[in-house]
Amino acid sequence: MKVKLDKILDHKAIQHKIRRIAYQIYESNVNEEEIILAGIADNGYKFAERLQVTLEEIASFKTILCKVTMNKQDPLGTVKTSLTKEEYAHKSIVLIDDVLNSGTTLIYGVQHFLNVPLKRFKTAVLVNRNHKKYPVKADFKGISLSTSLNESVKVMFRKGNDMAVLE
């Protein structure tokens, strides 16, 4: 049986969302010298890379990428970052993922970073679904989408052909 895919965002729409979110990140960090873009592997990190490119065009501050990895089926205690705690302490961080579904991945990512004193902490997602089981929200979001529990959102980052689909 073939799964029907409904396109939510095409490449042009995703580029527009990235630019808009980058401006929002810039506006909330305008007085910073540098910020950390912490992308949750894999697609959150790809999204963070795209945001970094746009921020480098528009912002005066330096952006540093941080890859956040975790076992998404058992996230407790499995969160690791490509930067040390000393490298992101007392800095502004934006935790980034592609889709906010139940909030599990984002809440454990947030918990990891809160063990260190930070200057500012925000979250960004490309697609915000409304099925949260944790009290976590996206400060910056590309699109909010109400879906059924049986549907899933998949974001595909492909050079020149990014898209988000509903399965």
Side-chain angles (χ1 to χ4, degrees), residues 37-80:
L37 299 177
I40 298 173
D42 288 309
N43 270 356
Y45 187 74
K46 291 175 185 174
F47 184 34
E49 289 176 316
R50 282 160 171 74
L51 284 167
Q52 182 186 37
V53 168
T54 303
L55 280 164
E56 286 176 347
E57 293 171 4
I58 63 173
S60 55
F61 53 70
K62 178 181 177 185
T63 57
I64 299 170
L65 278 175
C66 174
K67 186 178 237 178
V68 179
T69 56
M70 69 177 75
N71 177 344
K72 292 185 180 183
Q73 280 66 50
D74 183 25
L76 192 60
T78 66
V79 180
K80 293 183 178 38

Side-chain angles (χ1 to χ4, degrees), residues 100-108 131-134 136:
L100 173 54
N101 187 21
S102 69
T104 303
T105 303
L106 213 56
I107 197 93
Y108 283 104
H131 298 295
K132 292 188 273 293
K133 63 181 181 179
Y134 293 102
V136 64

Side-chain angles (χ1 to χ4, degrees), residues 119-146:
K119 196 170 195 178
R120 176 178 290 118
F121 190 87
K122 300 283 187 180
T123 57
V125 297
L126 182 61
V127 180
N128 181 29
R129 293 183 67 203
N130 298 318
H131 298 295
K132 292 188 273 293
K133 63 181 181 179
Y134 293 102
V136 64
K137 71 177 185 72
D139 296 297
F140 312 113
K141 53 189 166 260
I143 186 173
S144 289
L145 193 63
S146 293

Side-chain angles (χ1 to χ4, degrees), residues 106-118:
L106 213 56
I107 197 93
Y108 283 104
V110 168
Q111 178 192 22
H112 175 82
F113 283 103
L114 293 182
N115 292 326
V116 173
L118 302 173

